[in-house]
Amino acid sequence: MKVLLVGGGGREHALAWKFKQDDPAAELIAAPGNPGIAEYARCVPIAATDIDALVALANHERPALTVIGPEAPLALGLVDRLRAAGHPAFGPTRSAAEIESSKVFAKQLMADAGVPTARAERHTDAAAAKRAVRDFGTPVVIKASGLAAGKGVIIADSTADADAAVDAMLSQRVFGTAGAEILVEEFMQGEEVSLLFLTDGEQWLPLVPAQDHKRLLDGDQGPNTGGMGAYAPVYPLVVTSGTERSSAHAPGNTWAEWHSLVGLAGDQIIAPVLDAMRRMGRRFSGALYAGLMVTTDGLKVVEFNCRLGDPETEAILPLTRYPLLPLMDAVARGGRLESGEWIGHLHPAHAVSTVVAAAGYPGTPRTGDVIGLPEAPPGVHVFHAGTARNGAGELVTAAGRVLAVTAVAPDLASAQHASASYAAAVSFPGKQFRTDIAWRELARSARAS
Ligand code: AMP
Ligand code: GLY
């Protein structure tokens, strides 16, 4: 099977690895790919946002399936263009991708579908937005509606900070048109969990729940980033009645615990959202990511993404036993997924993925630093996120997040140790990484035992 994979980050490296597991005979082409992906795929230097060139590539290569990793090409309508040219593509159409590319649309969708989320108001006028800030009280969340590369959300602890965020987005237009419309949103207290689903628009198949770590430094300190690591599965977030949170943790338990979380999210969130999207003529097929807050009032949606999460995917896929390629192929061709088939299709293990970031991240990352990669021990996957080859053929840093180091082990503490140890052994100047990915889960299991 010939597969075109669009993207060149850690998520796409994990996908390429998984596709080769699923079908060792698959012929993979990646655009643009990266030096890690190049181990499995022929990499073509076309940017993931160069829609015309990607369609031309598909016309030339005639892949049986195109899988799109990042949100930007989806929001630009790559799937619509590929399908119009007769190429099956896995991912939502441009209008369905608005579930991520327009936070205002996503809020309206959730209101229409009766899906629990933070109360929010849409504003385009700074004075009115500042009045809303005073109504909501602090902390309050200010969000640019459009895609802002993960930087468009400000959690303001004071009215002054909130006003500054409103001015930056609506008056100074720091995010351009992405911030021409904003949400003033209630701050939700709780623990976040990322639930990823493959869907044909009607049926869905959950992947194992994961948790991202957005802050740069250990102990969830320092600035927000695109994600410094993730782990899976996430056990604790069982909401028994929709109003009550149980922190019961049963180390070594079966998947029953997260089954209840996933089941609840499926019923309360995914089913109504997919129904509403179909009713609007925006059927969503592809990967749907629900960023959830587990609150004392039950599950609430923080955000939807129209694609697999990064770095969650790097933690999830090494645990995922069922093959993705045939499922993505079926969805891309307009076929149907069988629901309820997923239990027992996981490796009974824990995965911790530690991101190794470049000097300067999350500000302007330094690129071109030569990377030394030790040999990976068994159970450790080194997914390339922002790497390139320099003129001398050496592996160098090329973006903020350089590597996602995933360790899989029978217990979480060992997975964390193996992941952090490998990250520590990677060498390049100014490298940054956290040593505490999965700390919440480890603290929970310590409390439970
Ligand atoms: P987003 O870009 O929508 O993923 O938001 C970035 C991060 O901001 C989320 O992962 C949350 O940690 C946080 N966040 C967003 N909205 C809220 C909210 N209403 N309450 C609390 N935290 C939030
Ligand atoms: N890990 C969050 C995201 O993929 O947007």
Side-chain angles (χ1 to χ4, degrees):
M1 183 180 196
K2 193 173 191 176
V3 181
L4 171 59
L5 177 61
V6 175
R11 166 184 47 212
E12 288 76 32
H13 188 176
L15 280 167
W17 169 82
K18 176 69 174 149
F19 291 167
K20 274 292 183 185
Q21 303 275 307
D22 293 349
D23 177 7
E27 180 188 349
L28 299 185
I29 303 162
N34 66 36
I37 294 172
E39 214 180 296
Y40 313 100
R42 177 154 52 90
C43 294
V44 183
I46 295 175
T49 48
D50 190 345
I51 305 301
D52 289 336
L54 290 168
V55 173
L57 178 68
N59 286 337
H60 177 67
E61 296 282 354
R62 309 220 67 84
L65 170 67
T66 300
V67 175
I68 295 113
E71 64 276 17
L74 296 166
L76 291 169
L78 178 58
V79 167
D80 312 62
R81 289 279 306 278
L82 287 171
R83 288 193 188 149
H87 306 295
F90 178 85
T93 58
R94 178 186 194 135
S95 72
E98 278 196 24
I99 200 167
E100 173 169 1
S101 63
S102 168
K103 290 187 195 285
V104 166
F105 169 74
K107 273 288 168 195
Q108 189 58 48
L109 172 75
M110 287 186 267
D112 293 348
V115 166
T117 184
R119 191 166 63 90
E121 276 180 21
R122 164 189 173 275
H123 286 283
T124 51
D125 175 72
K130 289 179 189 176
R131 283 195 294 275
V133 163
R134 281 146 186 84
D135 286 348
F136 275 76
T138 52
V140 66
V141 184
I142 310 294
K143 294 185 171 181
S145 179
L147 294 180
K151 295 187 180 140
V153 175
I154 305 292
I155 297 174
D157 289 323
S158 67
T159 306
D161 287 353
D163 285 353
V166 167
D167 283 332
M169 291 184 200
L170 288 180
S171 309
Q172 294 145 28
R173 292 289 176 90
V174 293
F175 301 120
T177 53
E181 210 177 15
I182 65 167
L183 290 173
V184 177
E185 186 170 297
E186 169 202 2
F187 176 78
M188 295 184 285
Q189 195 79 49
E191 188 170 335
E192 284 184 78
V193 60
S194 306
L195 291 189
L196 281 60
F197 298 82
L198 303 186
T199 177
D200 58 24
E202 208 166 330
Q203 306 285 2
W204 67 89
L205 196 66
L207 298 162
V208 62
Q211 193 169 69
D212 192 3
H213 297 59
K214 298 255 186 218
R215 302 292 202 100
L216 180 69
L217 305 173
D218 278 3
D220 288 338
Q221 302 295 308
N224 261 323
T225 69
M228 292 299 290
Y231 70 94
V234 181
Y235 270 107
L237 305 162
V238 183
V239 180
T240 46
S241 65
T243 54
E244 175 188 328
R245 176 180 170 193
S246 154
S247 60
H249 174 72
N253 202 344
T254 63
W255 305 104
E257 280 200 19
W258 67 264
H259 178 206
S260 67
L261 169 72
V262 168
L264 205 66
D267 291 346
Q268 294 183 347
I269 293 161
I270 304 303
V273 158
L274 293 178
D275 284 351
M277 294 291 279
R278 287 201 307 280
R279 280 200 308 275
M280 288 176 196
R282 301 189 191 220
R283 185 187 184 97
F284 185 102
S285 76
L288 181 59
Y289 169 125
L292 304 180
M293 192 73 83
V294 181
T295 75
T296 48
D297 296 330
L299 298 179
K300 291 189 181 181
V301 175
V302 179
E303 59 158 352
F304 287 112
N305 292 325
C306 64
R307 43 149 181 107
L308 295 173
D310 196 344
E312 288 93 331
T313 302
E314 292 94 305
I316 290 170
L317 292 189
L319 296 178
T320 304
R321 191 178 274 162
Y322 54 72
L324 285 192
L325 259 187
L327 299 173
M328 290 181 163
D329 186 41
V331 169
R333 289 168 189 281
R336 293 287 168 266
L337 291 176
E338 297 278 329
S339 273
E341 218 213 310
W342 47 283
I343 268 230
H345 288 255
L346 285 161
H347 295 289
H350 296 261
V352 171
S353 190
T354 301
V355 167
V356 185
Y361 186 70
T364 306
R366 195 169 69 208
T367 58
D369 284 319
V370 176
I371 305 168
L373 284 187
E375 197 181 327
V380 172
H381 305 268
V382 183
F383 295 123
H384 290 224
T387 68
R389 297 261 173 220
N390 64 15
E394 296 165 310
L395 192 69
V396 295
T397 60
R401 290 187 288 176
V402 178
L403 302 167
V405 178
T406 303
V408 177
D411 68 279
L412 186 60
S414 305
Q416 185 195 63
H417 183 256
S419 176
S421 301
Y422 186 90
V426 170
S427 65
F428 61 83
K431 125 189 120 155
Q432 309 184 74
F433 67 102
R434 286 178 61 161
T435 59
D436 69 341
I437 302 304
W439 69 267
R440 279 198 189 81
E441 195 72 40
L442 286 168
R444 247 189 304 272
S445 33
R447 277 200 302 276
S449 58

